[in-house]
Amino acid sequence: MLARPRRTGRLQAWLRSDRGGGPGCRSLVVSVQPRDDSFAVRQPTPADQRVLLVRLPCNPIFPIGPVYLADHLHKQFPQLPQQILDLAAVPLLDVEAVLLERIEAFRPTILVFSWRDIQIYAPVDGRGGNPLQNSFEVFYARNPLRRLRGAFGGLRLMASFYGELWRNLRLVRRGLRAARRFHPAARAVLGGGAVSVFYEQLGRKLPKGTVVSVGEGEPLLEKLIRGESLASERCFLAGEAPRPGLIHEQPAGMEKTACDYGYIASIWPQLDWYLDGGDFYVGVQTKRGCPHNCCYCVYTVVEGKAVRVNPVEEVIAEMRQLYAKGVRGFWFTDAQFIPARRYIDDAKELLRAVQAEGWSDIRWAAYIRADNLDAELAELMVATGMDYFEIGITSGSQELVRKMRMGYNLRTVLENCRLLARAGFREHVSVNYSFNVIDERPETIRQTVAYHRELERIFGADKVEPAIFFIGLQPHTHLEQYGFEQGLIQPGYNPMSMLPWTARQLLWNPEPMGSTFGRICLEAFERNPGDFGRTVMYLLERDYGLAPLEEALHAPVE
């Protein structure tokens, strides 16, 4: 699902609600010399290696992926020289010069580039403007001048998107070329959620022989450093077709231990840039994996369906180090903090441990499956400082939730939200709605508005923010297959295209309701762009009214 910004002091943190390729996901692209036995990579011993981890330019959220990779490699190879360079904290005009200077000074044998995300149809303002507004003005505006304005905005967005794509690919190429001046056998490694989602498309843009890896990067990097075969890893060579079903192969299990931030500070001078302000969330991962099957989401295939819970003592040890460095805001970067009811006890154990530390001044946030709570857990969440959470229910109609394979029981979500309110939760709630995914109709619109009004009654209208999304179609999802079956997209389409004739397909808003939502959203942008979500809900209620709440909570058996 697409990302949305959360203002956090001097930084703008991008938090993902589908989290395909979020902070907890790491995928790798490894460039090696082509050879006949291409997966049996021949290289120096671990003692000869020097690793530079480079986060490519993006919105400056805390780079938890590269940090965890560096920590893992340090534990496996304590003598391995490493450095982290975060180009997200560098002015864009300087990124190439800074990268080349660092390579010349450090002279790495392995470059690990982290490509966090590729925001194609983000529903909010980005560096290139507002894709949703520009697209809807072109597609749905009746006024020719508004259409022209949207077209010019779309051209700026295309230039921004393709510029970032080409820039990042250029940084990888030039970085590798610079490293090979000092070590002719130097290799480049490209990681991040962008590769896991768009590995087939990016693989065609990489040098022939590049190893493209999907999912978790730790095992692949270990084998690369040891010179072992990569044949069992989730990877393929650029220039060759990936094996069928690569994205659906399950990752190998590994137990996560507390990140050693003393070591991270020694190899990453920019760490203080994120910590000095003390006004934003720092990511901490408590588990990996998602057992759900939501139709538009790739998390369950990238991280795997098996949920692997990190030991509580290790999570606390990591938080303790950050707390000592002045961090008071924590974002639990899991796909879902409580992915199913069987993990309620794990969440309680962790929050009791937080409580035992006496951290009365912290705040924390997460994506919450609000149907997986009980009264005790709700009280623990409030008592330990939860000051924000996101609910990705997508629709307030139980019928559509079922059709989208969300696995939510909306009645249970309401009951558990009432538990949180009774426990004293008075903070911000973001409710993610993705309209018009499958079989949206006027009656389901009325149901969603009724459901949202009930959430406002529980928490307060000023505390509940409806975050309005339109899905950017992603490969390897059930929604993609649905699009094939309905003739909305054709096999062989390019999911990374920003060209006008593909944009209308990939920004998922099919007819017969597409024009209706286009008109509503354009009116909301005109009326109150600063409070877009609430304005959309007001306009939907004006035009369609409210269904009885019980109707929203009931899904007919088919």
Side-chain angles (χ1 to χ4, degrees):
M1 185 164 174
L2 297 171
R4 60 182 298 273
R6 175 168 166 78
R7 294 285 180 182
T8 51
R10 61 192 178 92
L11 297 179
Q12 186 183 36
W14 284 72
L15 312 176
R16 301 177 72 84
S17 67
D18 72 356
R19 283 126 355 241
C25 298
R26 284 168 299 285
S27 60
L28 303 173
V29 176
V30 184
S31 180
V32 301
Q33 297 287 348
R35 50 172 291 170
D36 293 336
D37 185 13
S38 50
F39 280 109
V41 181
R42 199 181 291 124
Q43 58 186 23
T45 65
D48 299 322
Q49 303 286 15
R50 300 173 63 82
V51 177
L52 176 63
L53 297 104
V54 182
R55 205 260 288 264
L56 292 169
C58 64
N59 290 280
I61 74 164
F62 191 78
I64 195 67
V67 166
Y68 279 179
L69 282 173
D71 176 69
H72 179 81
L73 291 180
H74 177 62
K75 289 166 181 170
Q76 300 301 314
F77 311 101
Q79 304 306 314
L80 176 70
Q82 295 189 93
Q83 287 188 8
I84 297 176
L85 172 63
D86 181 15
L87 295 180
V90 174
L92 285 176
L93 293 177
D94 299 331
V95 292
E96 186 171 329
V98 169
L99 172 63
L100 297 179
E101 288 172 6
R102 180 65 63 88
I103 290 172
E104 183 169 1
F106 185 61
R107 303 191 176 187
T109 63
I110 299 177
L111 285 165
V112 181
F113 290 94
S114 173
W115 195 332
R116 183 182 182 271
D117 53 20
I118 295 178
Q119 294 300 329
I120 299 178
Y121 299 107
V124 288
D125 288 341
R127 288 188 295 276
N130 189 318
L132 183 63
Q133 181 174 0
N134 290 328
S135 300
F136 277 19
E137 284 181 341
V138 171
F139 300 152
Y140 305 115
R142 294 171 180 167
N143 185 323
L145 293 178
R146 286 194 75 182
R147 287 198 172 208
L148 186 62
R149 182 178 70 178
F152 279 117
L155 288 174
R156 288 195 301 270
L157 283 168
M158 287 178 61
S160 174
F161 168 70
Y162 285 114
E164 290 183 17
L165 179 65
W166 296 331
R167 179 202 61 213
N168 285 0
L169 291 170
R170 183 175 65 248
L171 288 171
V172 173
R173 288 194 300 268
R174 293 187 179 178
L176 179 59
R177 188 182 308 141
R180 284 180 173 170
R181 287 174 48 212
F182 308 105
H183 302 283
R187 291 168 298 279
V189 177
L190 177 65
V195 180
S196 288
V197 176
F198 300 108
Y199 66 89
E200 293 158 309
Q201 291 74 34
L202 288 175
R204 292 192 285 267
K205 301 178 184 298
L206 297 165
K208 187 176 180 180
T210 296
V211 179
V212 184
S213 173
V214 175
E216 297 176 353
E218 291 93 340
L220 177 57
L221 276 178
E222 279 189 53
K223 290 183 177 180
L224 185 66
I225 291 171
R226 292 192 176 105
E228 298 174 356
S229 171
L230 306 179
S232 63
E233 296 301 315
R234 297 166 79 190
C235 60
F236 69 98
L237 294 180
E240 300 178 7
R243 61 181 178 264
L246 177 63
I247 187 68
H248 297 287
E249 295 176 7
Q250 293 300 298
M254 57 168 285
E255 186 170 288
K256 172 77 173 61
T257 57
C259 183
D260 182 353
Y261 273 99
Y263 171 72
I264 295 301
S266 73
I267 66 169
W268 183 30
Q270 295 165 299
L271 174 62
D272 289 341
W273 189 83
Y274 285 93
L275 303 187
D276 282 347
D279 56 355
F280 62 99
Y281 296 108
V282 172
V284 173
Q285 189 177 72
T286 79
K287 62 185 69 65
R288 287 186 188 179
C290 180
H292 297 286
N293 211 25
C294 303
C295 71
Y296 51 77
C297 183
V298 296
Y299 244 59
T300 188
V301 291
V302 172
E303 289 200 355
K305 284 186 172 292
V307 177
R308 292 151 287 161
V309 179
N310 298 334
V312 167
E313 60 272 17
E314 299 294 338
V315 177
I316 293 297
E318 185 171 318
M319 294 178 68
R320 193 180 293 130
Q321 294 175 69
L322 291 168
Y323 187 89
K325 291 181 176 294
V327 174
R328 295 297 182 269
F330 297 91
W331 177 269
F332 293 129
T333 63
D334 317 343
Q336 296 287 346
F337 182 58
I338 317 162
R341 295 196 68 82
R342 61 180 291 194
Y343 300 103
I344 288 177
D345 288 341
D346 296 293
K348 289 179 182 178
E349 183 182 2
L350 174 61
L351 295 182
R352 289 191 197 104
V354 169
Q355 208 170 32
E357 293 291 323
W359 295 330
S360 59
D361 55 345
I362 72 167
R363 64 191 192 282
W364 65 268
Y367 298 103
I368 301 292
R369 292 280 304 195
D371 50 345
N372 300 323
L373 302 180
D374 61 20
E376 182 186 9
L377 180 55
E379 291 172 1
L380 281 168
M381 294 164 83
V382 174
T384 53
M386 184 178 74
D387 74 334
Y388 169 83
F389 72 95
E390 296 197 17
I391 307 175
I393 57 174
T394 305
S395 173
S397 166
Q398 184 66 59
E399 176 190 349
L400 296 193
V401 166
R402 179 175 294 174
K403 288 182 177 180
M404 290 184 286
R405 309 186 184 192
M406 301 291 294
Y408 273 108
N409 182 309
L410 293 182
R411 188 186 303 275
T412 304
V413 171
L414 286 181
E415 292 170 354
N416 291 347
C417 285
R418 294 183 184 107
L419 291 178
L420 282 168
R422 285 198 289 270
F425 184 79
R426 301 291 184 271
E427 305 297 337
H428 185 74
V429 182
S430 179
V431 187
N432 298 332
Y433 295 106
S434 295
F435 286 109
N436 204 23
V437 178
I438 295 177
D439 201 24
E440 192 82 72
R441 309 181 305 282
E443 52 266 38
T444 60
I445 294 174
R446 289 191 288 272
Q447 292 167 16
T448 294
V449 176
Y451 193 87
H452 185 75
R453 297 303 182 220
E454 183 64 20
L455 286 172
E456 290 180 333
R457 280 188 282 273
I458 292 170
F459 292 115
D462 60 325
K463 300 296 185 182
V464 182
E465 177 194 357
I468 308 299
F469 295 89
F470 288 82
I471 299 297
L473 187 66
Q474 292 184 330
H476 318 297
T477 61
H478 293 293
L479 187 61
E480 180 189 52
Q481 185 59 41
Y482 176 83
F484 291 147
E485 294 169 356
Q486 299 296 314
L488 300 171
I489 54 174
Q490 300 300 319
Y493 80 105
N494 180 5
M496 290 180 61
S497 175
M498 280 281 284
L499 297 175
W501 47 88
T502 57
R504 192 160 191 169
Q505 296 172 320
L506 301 184
L507 183 57
W508 191 266
N509 187 35
E511 299 298 345
M513 295 301 298
S515 298
T516 297
F517 282 109
R519 173 182 58 78
I520 290 286
C521 288
L522 288 178
E523 184 175 351
F525 281 126
E526 286 294 308
R527 280 175 170 252
N528 191 357
D531 200 4
F532 174 71
R534 291 187 178 91
T535 307
V536 167
M537 285 296 183
Y538 164 77
L539 295 174
L540 290 174
E541 183 174 358
R542 179 199 66 187
D543 290 358
Y544 292 98
L546 284 173
L549 180 61
E550 190 60 31
E551 179 182 315
L553 303 179
H554 174 72
V557 177
E558 297 181 353

